[in-house]
Amino acid sequence: MTKEEIFDALETLDFPRDSYIVIGGASLVVQDIISSTSDIDLSCSKEFYETIDWPIVTANFGWEIKSRDIFDIGTDFYDPSNVVWIHGFCFADLEACYELKIKEHRDSNQEVIKKLEKILKK
């Protein structure tokens, strides 16, 4: 998905915009770090998570998340202090994206990690 496709998809969510944070690849696309992503990962408070009526699945690291269509939502990485608002949606800032990519510890993230390190001067 491109930046515009991400914004279009987020428009379809019936969640209050201040109840979740867009994390991972979608946040990196919107902030022009990568060009596309295949899904939209979200994070929210545990209280809001309990109100979501989506199927539960097991994600990376054995974490429980809820999933619907292109959206996955969980409570890990929910940090409203490290966000940026873009076009009325709340995205993880680059520092939060960097921390997530480090924690995921995937070989496929190494190029993005290096790019973020350069931007963040790490």
Side-chain angles (χ1 to χ4, degrees):
M1 274 177 285
T2 64
K3 186 185 300 190
E4 289 308 314
E5 291 169 325
I6 290 167
F7 288 124
D8 289 345
L10 290 171
E11 289 287 350
T12 69
L13 277 180
D14 58 354
F15 299 160
R17 291 185 181 186
D18 63 351
S19 65
Y20 64 91
I21 300 168
V22 181
I23 62 172
S27 185
L28 292 170
V29 169
V30 168
Q31 295 179 75
D32 297 316
I33 302 300
I34 61 175
S35 59
S36 67
T37 189
S38 59
D39 61 1
I40 300 176
D41 296 319
L42 309 170
S43 190
C44 65
S45 70
K46 291 178 182 178
E47 295 79 19
F48 185 72
Y49 182 81
E50 294 304 320
T51 70
I52 300 170
D53 189 26
W54 292 2
I56 295 172
V57 298
T58 302
N60 296 332
F61 312 110
W63 294 335
E64 173 191 294
I65 62 170
K66 294 183 180 182
S67 185
R68 187 190 82 191
D69 302 321
I70 58 169
F71 297 103
D72 292 331
I73 191 165
T75 59
D76 295 298
F77 306 110
Y78 182 68
D79 181 2
S81 66
N82 286 334
V83 299
V84 58
W85 285 86
I86 304 171
H87 295 293
F89 296 99
C90 186
F91 292 87
D93 67 12
L94 294 182
E95 182 68 36
C97 290
Y98 173 76
E99 294 300 325
L100 171 60
K101 293 300 177 186
I102 292 292
K103 287 180 184 176
E104 286 178 333
H105 197 66
R106 293 181 187 154
D107 288 340
S108 60
N109 287 340
Q110 294 310 306
E111 186 176 322
V112 171
I113 289 170
K114 287 178 185 173
K115 187 172 188 177
L116 288 170
E117 286 175 342
K118 186 175 182 181
I119 292 166
L120 297 169
K121 296 179 176 29
K122 296 214 174 254

